[in-house]
Amino acid sequence: MTLLTPLALLMLLALPVLLWLALRPARAQVMDVGTLMLWRLVAAAVPVTARKTRRLELLLWVLAAAVLLATMGAAGPAQASAPPVPVVAVYVERLGTSGPEPELESVRKRVQEQFSDAQLHWWFAGDAAQLEDLGLVQAIAPGPPQAEQAQFLAASAGASLRVMFVAEPVADAPAHSLVLPRVSSQRQGVVFEVRSEGETLFVRSGPDQPPKVEGASLQGASTRGAEVVRQYLARGGQVKVSTATQSISLSRQALGVGLGANWAGARHQALLAALQPALDGTTPQVWLGTSDASPAVGISQGQVQDLSSTQVQVDLQSPLFQDLPLASVNLVGQGRVLAPRKDWRALAVVLRDGRVVGDLAALSPDGRVLEFANDPFVDSGLAAAALLLDNAIGLVTGTRASGHQLYQRTGDLLPTRRQALAAPFEATGSAEFTPGQDATRSFASWPLLLAAMCSLAAAGLVARPGAGKT
Amino acid sequence: MPMPEDIFGADFLRQLQTLDQALLRLRGSAGEGIARHGRSHGQHDFRGHRPYAPGDDLRRLDWNAYGRLGKYFLREFERERAEHVTLLVDTSRSMAPGRKHVLARRAAAAVGYLALARGGTATLAGGVLLQGQARFSRLIEELRELEPVQDSMAPALVALASRPKAPSDLFVVTDGLDLPESFRPLAALSQRRCQVTLMLVLAPQELEPPTHGSVQLHGLEERQNLAMELTPERVMAYQAALESHLQSLQALALRNRWTLAVTDSQADLVALFTEKLAGVLA
């Protein structure tokens, strides 16, 4: 609040003027009379009394209050606050390395140099400890870049400027945002995928700086853009892939299969051979032909019944029948059916006149035992039987035999392709701050409102009956 | 620069004609020779002669007297003598407030006009005797000169009373705001068969003073100030004093057989004469 406001000064001057007008001696009005003869008689008869002490009337008080309040209002009382410091919210995208995040120091320098007068709020989904010395670091839930950026944009809505250090350009940069490349140069040789198909290993990485691979020999390489795919042939049980910042270990883990008494036919052996070379594990990971263990795929578990004039209904939503040529699958070959059991889920049933005669395939409540009433692996065509077995193993173990990787990676997670191939790009957006919110809270309206009420009260006093009469 | 007001302008002259007609009607309705205060004479009673003065109506010269005495004498009748009016206008400064002097001079002019119109004479106290309607303009000129600048009317009264020959019909216009003793010369004139008509003109603020505020009363006549808080009590006291003063003058008028009229300075001239002074002039 300052009284140096011209209006406030004027109003402040009005107060002494008002008081002077109220307290000044009333100037006698000069009245010409022909003669004082009679008036002297009057003065003698009714002596002049002492002038009554002039008192401040209520009207004056009300007017003075109105002027004072109006002066206060014009002076603009407000709760002053420090000039708003622009807040710059900085999002740093993770690059998915197990060790220290690369180029964090570079990011910090770029931000602090460009926004030295701003208050920096950092947003990072990685290990916040790496940014602790930067001040305020807000953690956001790790996830895909789009999800992380959405969290950041929502949480930093009040910031003066948002700066995003990202691995790839953002198509539509939000308002008051500056999108900068996360890295100052193309990342090189960062492995982001290692996959095995039998004995063959496929290693995908960034350009240049090929990884060092132990326990496998290079078979070939292909390049697509900045991405390089290298193909290796594993030679032993352990393979090690190393880069400057990564150390990836792979160990051979074949799928172990236990065989029940029912799994003894030639067809059964042929199906096992079709799953080679994944089936050389010593520890059974799945049992075939029996349902005494878990996980297991049992066969010929039903009782023979008359299945004439019946229909077969299968649960097509079940993974058991995924990508399966049902016409080549025979689930009723031996005329057996399973008696429905509580909590077991029927995947294929026999119906007669719309009523269930029995189950042809059922899944245990824990989903780890699959029983067939007959032996569809023998009764069906070979290809269909192989697909059915692959699906059955996948149903009870979670991974189909065909999806089982012989060499499985251990250790830290690999970066994503986006993280591994991060490269500089042209910065987009604007570095201009959002106009800061006025942090000053004005109270001018209250005294002005009270002044108006006092003025109304004064008007009421003037207009009241009998006001102004002698 | 505004033109000075002509208090005897065209409007005033029209008022005079209206007044003349109104008074003639009054006379007709009341009958000839209507009794007036202290008068019991007929219209054509021969009263005597007086020396000729310039401006007199030559038709009234008494040729017989001229033949015998070799001097011009005018025949005077009782009725005619009554129309030989002498006008005394108070020119003291107290006549200024409320334009009292304007009404005073207009009233005097009206009386003079009526006298001249009826073949009488009119004389402004201290001035020459005027006769004939043609001399009315002269009377007006003399009245125009009478500004309220004198200290008091008393010297004029004394001078008039000290004249060897008392006026037969005296019309005095004043505000009366003098001590009753100052009107003694009028009483003396009454003793000398002078018919006195006293017209008191008071300003509105003298009749109804304002009742609020501090005032500085400036006495024009005394040229002195008197500070006063005009409370309702004082105003009432003033009005009581004024009433008492007017009653004193009323008593004086009754005792000396004066005709007395009190009027407001804003009063209409025709109404004033046809109502308050009809008995005097009709």
Side-chain angles (χ1 to χ4, degrees):
Chain A
M1 182 171 88
T2 174
L3 291 175
L4 294 179
T5 307
L7 189 58
L9 279 174
L10 280 176
M11 290 186 174
L12 201 58
L13 290 176
L15 192 61
V17 171
L18 180 65
L19 289 174
W20 176 75
L21 287 174
L23 296 176
R24 73 190 170 99
R27 191 175 63 180
Q29 176 186 358
V30 176
M31 189 171 86
D32 285 339
V33 293
T35 174
L36 296 175
M37 179 184 72
L38 295 177
W39 289 110
R40 282 177 172 151
L41 293 175
V42 171
V46 185
V48 177
T49 56
R51 183 187 297 278
K52 286 189 289 187
T53 304
R54 185 172 294 275
R55 63 183 179 86
L56 294 178
E57 296 180 355
L58 176 61
L59 176 62
L60 175 63
W61 283 112
V62 174
L63 283 175
V67 171
L68 270 177
L69 288 167
T71 303
M72 287 179 62
Q79 187 179 34
S81 61
V85 176
V87 174
V88 175
V90 185
Y91 165 73
V92 181
E93 183 177 336
R94 289 175 300 124
L95 292 182
T97 54
S98 56
E101 279 281 323
E103 298 202 32
L104 272 186
E105 186 61 24
S106 168
V107 167
R108 179 171 64 177
K109 282 185 178 176
R110 288 157 66 188
V111 171
Q112 288 179 339
E113 286 175 4
Q114 189 165 356
F115 308 108
S116 57
D117 296 333
Q119 184 178 358
L120 300 177
H121 289 185
W122 296 85
W123 299 81
F124 186 53
D127 182 8
Q130 300 181 53
L131 293 170
E132 271 183 351
D133 60 335
L134 298 182
L136 181 60
V137 180
Q138 311 277 353
I140 52 179
Q146 292 76 12
E148 290 185 5
Q149 291 170 18
Q151 292 181 65
F152 165 69
L153 293 176
S156 62
S160 307
L161 177 67
R162 288 181 284 210
V163 180
M164 300 167 67
F165 287 94
V166 291
E168 292 180 355
V170 176
D172 298 316
H176 301 294
S177 294
L178 179 63
V179 179
L180 297 171
R182 172 68 174 80
V183 294
S184 57
S185 60
Q186 168 78 60
R187 297 193 80 189
Q188 295 183 344
V190 178
V191 175
F192 60 89
E193 183 181 295
V194 177
R195 181 171 54 85
S196 68
E197 290 182 5
E199 304 293 340
T200 303
L201 301 177
F202 296 92
V203 178
R204 301 162 77 91
S205 66
D208 303 329
Q209 297 185 4
K212 180 181 179 184
V213 177
E214 300 173 19
S217 55
L218 181 64
Q219 299 295 303
S222 63
T223 301
R224 186 172 61 189
E227 177 183 334
V228 179
V229 181
R230 294 181 174 86
Q231 184 178 342
Y232 297 86
L233 181 63
R235 295 191 300 266
Q238 296 290 327
V239 177
K240 189 173 182 181
V241 180
S242 303
T243 67
T245 58
Q246 295 169 294
S247 179
I248 306 160
S249 296
L250 298 121
S251 59
R252 182 185 174 93
Q253 292 182 1
L255 179 64
V257 177
L259 300 178
N262 292 335
W263 202 273
R267 170 63 69 85
H268 298 136
Q269 296 304 319
L271 290 175
L272 282 177
L275 294 177
Q276 290 293 349
L279 298 177
D280 61 351
T282 54
T283 303
Q285 292 174 279
V286 61
W287 289 82
L288 301 178
T290 178
S291 56
D292 295 336
S294 174
V297 178
I299 55 175
S300 303
Q301 300 295 312
Q303 299 296 322
V304 176
Q305 287 198 20
D306 178 15
L307 300 182
S308 59
S309 304
T310 58
Q311 292 176 320
V312 176
Q313 185 177 40
V314 300
D315 181 0
L316 294 176
Q317 301 300 319
S318 170
L320 180 62
F321 302 108
Q322 187 176 356
D323 301 328
L324 192 65
L326 287 175
S328 301
V329 175
N330 185 355
L331 294 173
V332 295
Q334 299 165 9
R336 300 170 187 266
V337 293
L338 295 168
R341 284 167 289 183
K342 185 180 179 184
D343 297 332
W344 281 63
R345 180 184 171 192
L347 303 179
V349 297
V350 176
L351 300 175
R352 177 183 286 129
D353 299 330
R355 300 182 63 179
V356 175
V357 175
D359 296 341
L360 294 175
L363 188 65
S364 66
D366 62 359
R368 293 176 61 82
V369 175
L370 175 65
E371 287 190 349
F372 288 95
N374 300 287
D375 187 355
F377 303 106
V378 173
D379 301 331
S380 303
L382 179 61
L387 290 174
L388 181 64
L389 179 60
D390 194 36
N391 284 349
I393 292 173
L395 184 62
V396 296
T397 65
T399 304
R400 288 190 292 195
S402 61
H404 178 79
Q405 293 198 25
L406 186 59
Y407 286 88
Q408 297 196 359
R409 184 173 51 82
T410 58
D412 296 331
L413 295 173
L414 294 177
T416 63
R417 181 180 185 277
R418 170 190 172 97
Q419 293 168 333
L421 300 180
F425 56 85
E426 191 72 24
T428 57
S430 169
E432 292 184 2
F433 292 142
T434 306
Q437 298 284 334
D438 187 4
T440 302
R441 185 180 177 190
S442 173
F443 298 102
S445 57
W446 289 104
L448 287 176
L449 179 65
L450 291 174
M453 294 174 68
C454 286
S455 300
L456 284 175
L461 286 174
V462 171
R464 74 186 196 279
K469 292 184 179 176
T470 304
Chain B
M1 185 174 177
M3 293 289 290
E5 181 194 18
D6 184 5
I7 64 173
F8 301 116
D11 289 343
F12 172 71
L13 297 178
R14 277 194 290 274
Q15 278 185 314
L16 287 184
Q17 292 174 357
T18 304
L19 176 63
D20 191 19
Q21 297 300 318
L23 291 176
L24 284 176
R25 285 195 296 274
L26 278 176
R27 180 184 293 178
S29 62
E32 291 286 340
I34 186 171
R36 297 193 282 179
H37 273 302
R39 296 182 184 177
S40 58
H41 37 262
Q43 183 181 6
H44 301 294
D45 292 345
F46 178 70
R47 190 175 183 277
H49 292 89
R50 66 172 176 82
Y52 167 77
D56 284 347
D57 187 355
L58 294 177
R59 291 173 298 178
R60 300 197 177 177
L61 280 172
D62 189 339
W63 296 108
N64 290 329
Y66 176 73
R68 283 183 283 155
L69 301 175
K71 291 184 177 178
Y72 294 111
F73 286 94
L74 259 66
R75 290 173 294 180
E76 284 188 331
F77 298 90
E78 194 66 35
R79 174 71 181 85
E80 291 170 341
R81 188 179 182 278
E83 293 181 350
H84 296 171
V85 294
T86 298
L87 306 171
L88 178 59
V89 177
D90 184 355
T91 55
S92 67
R93 289 187 293 275
S94 70
M95 292 295 285
R99 293 166 58 86
K100 290 186 286 186
H101 64 100
V102 173
L103 182 66
R105 285 185 282 172
R106 284 179 171 175
V111 171
Y113 172 80
L114 294 172
L116 296 176
R118 285 159 178 68
T121 63
T123 303
L124 197 57
V128 297
L129 183 141
L130 303 176
Q131 187 175 26
Q133 274 189 290
R135 309 302 299 275
F136 178 62
S137 58
R138 170 78 183 271
L139 176 63
I140 284 180
E141 290 302 320
E142 292 179 358
L143 285 170
R144 261 198 193 103
E145 303 297 325
L146 297 183
E147 292 294 333
V149 293
Q150 304 297 323
D151 291 338
S152 168
M153 189 183 69
L157 286 176
V158 171
L160 189 63
S162 61
R163 284 169 55 176
K165 184 180 179 183
S168 60
D169 218 338
L170 178 61
F171 186 80
V172 181
V173 195
T174 177
D175 55 11
L177 296 179
D178 284 299
L179 294 175
E181 292 76 19
S182 60
F183 291 92
R184 280 178 184 161
L186 282 183
L189 286 172
S190 298
Q191 298 296 324
R192 295 162 62 186
R193 298 190 63 185
C194 174
Q195 300 301 316
V196 175
T197 299
L198 184 59
M199 178 175 163
L200 302 183
V201 181
L202 292 170
Q205 62 265 40
E206 290 170 338
L207 293 167
E208 295 284 344
T211 59
H212 59 84
S214 295
V215 292
Q216 190 78 16
L217 298 174
H218 176 63
L220 294 173
E221 209 157 279
E222 299 89 345
R223 287 177 171 163
Q224 291 177 353
N225 292 335
L226 177 63
M228 185 172 287
E229 191 82 18
L230 279 188
T231 62
E233 294 77 16
R234 286 210 179 86
V235 170
M236 289 177 63
Y238 165 84
Q239 289 175 322
L242 177 63
E243 182 68 24
S244 173
H245 178 69
L246 293 178
Q247 286 177 356
S248 300
L249 295 180
Q250 181 83 32
L252 200 60
L254 283 174
R255 193 159 54 242
N256 294 285
R257 302 171 71 100
W258 299 341
T259 298
L260 179 66
V262 182
T263 185
D264 181 343
S265 61
Q266 305 301 313
D268 177 70
L269 188 66
V270 175
L272 171 65
F273 275 79
T274 54
E275 293 170 6
K276 295 189 175 180
L277 294 171
V280 179
L281 302 172

